[in-house]
């Protein structure tokens, strides 16, 4: 297992179309996060899962966005009726649910760059 | 509400000299602060962290200093190398291990 994998790396879609991204975390990691990064900004939290349970969603995650993590393994992020403002890098990260005293940082994937035209 | 601020969009230093990247935060509930490094077309990679109850953490060429009263932290890289050229993000860790990132600082180390 070489890290967090994201697919596809790049996606160009027409406005109004639906897109789905996949993330395969490090196998022993039970926490999985989705972040979005736009130009000139740092990554912004979207949602996170502990095993298969989605435990928190950001206000950034509108009704057009849905994320799943069936069986606590890979995760998908779907955007329905894409808009030009959805163009961004979508980053997935995973980690172990260690104690609060752990400084362990996430491991990020390389991201999926979405361009909505 | 920008809870983590990196006020310098870019920094340029000579190889072998010290690089100092700065970060300010407003959220007193962060329990850890982390620095990530990002190359173009790659995801951020974890570099170093510091607990909110510490004031210094060192790992090789990288040292992070935390001034809790000023709500300020800095990353020192000594000596700087051309391979250190990247965007550096400061992040605070809050509830559910959620990270809040600054906008990043582009470091360029010139040979």
């Amino acid at each position: 297992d070489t890290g967090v994998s994201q697919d596809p790396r790049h996606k160009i879609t027409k406005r109004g179309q639906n897109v789905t991204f996949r993330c395969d975390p490090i196998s022993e990691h039970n926490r999985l996060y989705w972040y979005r990064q736009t130009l000139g900004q740092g990554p912004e939290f979207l949602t996170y899962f502990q095993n298969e349970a989605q435990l928190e969603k950001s206000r950034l995650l509108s009704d057009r966005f849905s994320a799943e993590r069936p069986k606590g393994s890979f995760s998908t992020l779907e955007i329905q009726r894409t808009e030009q403002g959805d163009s961004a890098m979508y980053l997935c990260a995973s980690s172990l649910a260690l104690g609060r005293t752990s400084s362990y940082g996430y491991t990020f994937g390389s991201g999926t760059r979405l361009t909505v035209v | 509400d920008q809870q983590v601020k990196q006020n310098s969009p870019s920094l340029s230093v000579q190889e072998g000299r010290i690089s100092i990247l700065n970060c300010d935060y407003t959220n007193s509930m962060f329990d850890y602060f982390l620095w990530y490094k990002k190359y173009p077309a790659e995801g951020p990679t974890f570099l170093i962290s510091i607990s909110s109850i510490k004031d210094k953490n060192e790992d090789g060429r990288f040292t992070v200093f935390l001034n809790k009263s000023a709500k300020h932290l800095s990353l020192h890289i000594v000596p700087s190398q051309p391979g250190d050229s990247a965007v550096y993000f400061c992040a605070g860790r809050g509830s559910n291990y959620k990270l809040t990132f600054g906008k990043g600082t582009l470091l360029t180390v010139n040979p």
Side-chain angles (χ1 to χ4, degrees):
Chain A
D1 190 283
T2 56
V4 178
S5 299
Q6 291 189 248
D7 183 70
R9 291 293 305 274
H10 304 274
K11 178 72 176 178
I12 300 174
T13 190
K14 290 185 178 179
R15 191 175 49 189
Q17 298 293 305
N18 298 344
V19 294
T20 300
F21 311 139
R22 177 181 170 121
C23 171
D24 287 272
I26 293 173
S27 56
E28 63 266 27
H29 286 183
N30 52 0
R31 285 181 173 241
L32 185 147
Y33 302 81
W34 285 98
Y35 281 74
R36 181 174 70 185
Q37 185 179 13
T38 54
L39 196 62
Q41 302 294 318
E44 296 173 294
F45 170 79
L46 292 179
T47 188
Y48 102 94
F49 293 83
Q50 179 149 333
N51 300 313
E52 66 276 9
Q54 187 174 19
L55 297 184
E56 187 173 345
K57 292 168 60 172
S58 162
R59 294 190 307 269
L60 294 175
L61 218 63
S62 75
D63 291 344
R64 296 183 296 105
F65 288 71
S66 62
E68 294 182 343
R69 192 182 182 197
K71 302 179 183 178
S73 56
F74 71 92
S75 176
T76 58
L77 178 67
E78 181 183 15
I79 309 174
Q80 296 182 326
R81 304 182 304 282
T82 53
E83 302 172 356
Q84 286 188 320
D86 297 331
S87 297
M89 173 76 83
Y90 290 84
L91 293 161
C92 176
S94 69
S95 74
L96 289 169
L98 300 174
R100 295 301 292 179
T101 56
S102 168
S103 64
Y104 185 85
Y106 305 160
T107 301
F108 278 91
S110 296
T112 294
R113 179 163 295 285
L114 173 67
T115 302
V116 182
V117 297
Chain B
D1 173 29
Q2 209 176 340
Q3 297 184 43
V4 178
K5 296 181 184 178
Q6 293 178 258
N7 292 318
S8 298
S10 63
L11 175 68
S12 182
V13 300
Q14 285 299 119
E15 181 178 5
R17 305 295 292 269
I18 185 171
S19 295
I20 301 176
L21 296 101
N22 293 303
C23 178
D24 297 296
Y25 65 95
T26 58
N27 188 341
S28 300
M29 300 304 291
F30 291 141
D31 67 346
Y32 268 90
F33 298 91
L34 300 91
W35 286 92
Y36 279 81
K37 176 179 177 180
K38 186 179 184 302
Y39 294 116
E42 294 183 14
T45 55
F46 173 68
L47 193 58
I48 190 170
S49 66
I50 187 167
S51 165
S52 60
I53 62 172
K54 303 284 188 184
D55 55 19
K56 178 182 175 181
N57 187 28
E58 191 171 355
D59 183 3
R61 297 186 298 114
F62 303 92
T63 303
V64 57
F65 296 92
L66 175 62
N67 182 333
K68 205 169 177 181
S69 60
K71 293 185 178 176
H72 176 84
L73 60 154
S74 60
L75 174 68
H76 292 211
I77 307 174
V78 183
S80 301
Q81 300 172 353
D84 295 330
S85 297
V87 177
Y88 288 77
F89 291 102
C90 169
R93 191 178 83 172
S95 62
N96 291 323
Y97 301 87
K98 188 171 61 182
L99 297 183
T100 301
F101 286 86
K103 293 186 177 184
T105 297
L106 173 63
L107 173 66
T108 303
V109 181
N110 301 302

